[in-house]
Each structure stands twice: as C-alpha cells, then as structure tokens.
Amino acid sequence: MTLARSLLLFVLAAVAEIGGAWLVWQGVRESRGVLWVLGGVLALGAYGFVATFQPDAHFGRVLAAYGGIFVAGSLLWGVVMDGFRPDRWDLLGVAVCLLGVAVIMYAPRG
C-alpha cells in the first residue's frame, strides 16, 4: 500500500506542477490571460504541498526521485496537450529517469 500511495502522490505532484507551469505558459506565451496564469500559480502552490505527504521522510530523496517523474510527466503532457511526438532518445531518457526513481525511492534499505 505504501508503494501505491507513493506513486499516486508522485502522479498528483506531476499533474499539479506540470499543469501549473503549462497554465502559466498558456497565459503568458499564448496570451490567454491572467486567469490562466492565476490558475497556474495555484496549481504550482498545490504541488508544493503534495510532496510533503510522501511516506519517505527525506526531502532530498523525495525531490530527487520526483525529478524523474517530472521528466516522464512533462513528455507525456506534451504528447497529450500539445501534440508533441517524442523520439527514441526522449524515450530512452525517460526510461533512464524512471529507473533512477525506482533506485532512489524504492530500493531496499537496511
């Protein structure tokens, strides 16, 4: 259950952070307006809280592992929201990052 909870929290953090950054991008770069930016700022603030609920008590470990989730989530967001098509190097990079997440966050420790 702890693993499932941790993974769910990583997904929620990614949606909040990547979604928030995307909303700010849309508001500023795509001239969609201040409400988009405000929504993005609120989502980015929510991201900051979600990470605190991770079962592991070590800030550095949680944020380091989350970095790999962020990389994978960012590419996936681009595919879904912007029609981005990752190439094989993008996919290899994501695989390396997710392997890093598994090692950093879920390796057995004694």
Side-chain angles (χ1 to χ4, degrees):
M1 187 62 163
T2 302
L3 176 64
R5 177 176 180 230
S6 176
L7 291 172
L8 177 63
L9 287 167
F10 275 140
V11 169
L12 290 174
V15 168
E17 185 181 18
I18 298 163
W22 185 81
L23 287 170
V24 171
W25 179 285
Q26 293 298 308
V28 174
R29 300 251 332 213
E30 303 297 328
S31 301
R32 299 228 172 146
V34 70
L35 290 178
W36 285 70
V37 173
L38 180 59
V41 168
L42 291 173
L44 287 165
Y47 151 75
F49 284 96
V50 172
T52 67
F53 296 109
Q54 277 290 345
D56 193 292
H58 299 91
F59 174 82
R61 181 178 294 145
V62 169
L63 268 285
Y66 171 69
I69 301 296
F70 178 82
V71 170
S74 295
L75 287 178
L76 181 61
W77 190 280
V79 168
V80 172
M81 300 302 288
D82 293 326
F84 173 71
R85 295 292 171 240
D87 63 22
R88 64 183 173 178
W89 301 110
D90 295 322
L91 298 176
L92 178 61
V94 165
V96 169
C97 289
L98 291 177
L99 178 61
V101 170
V103 170
I104 292 168
M105 197 70 186
Y106 307 116
R109 292 187 162 80

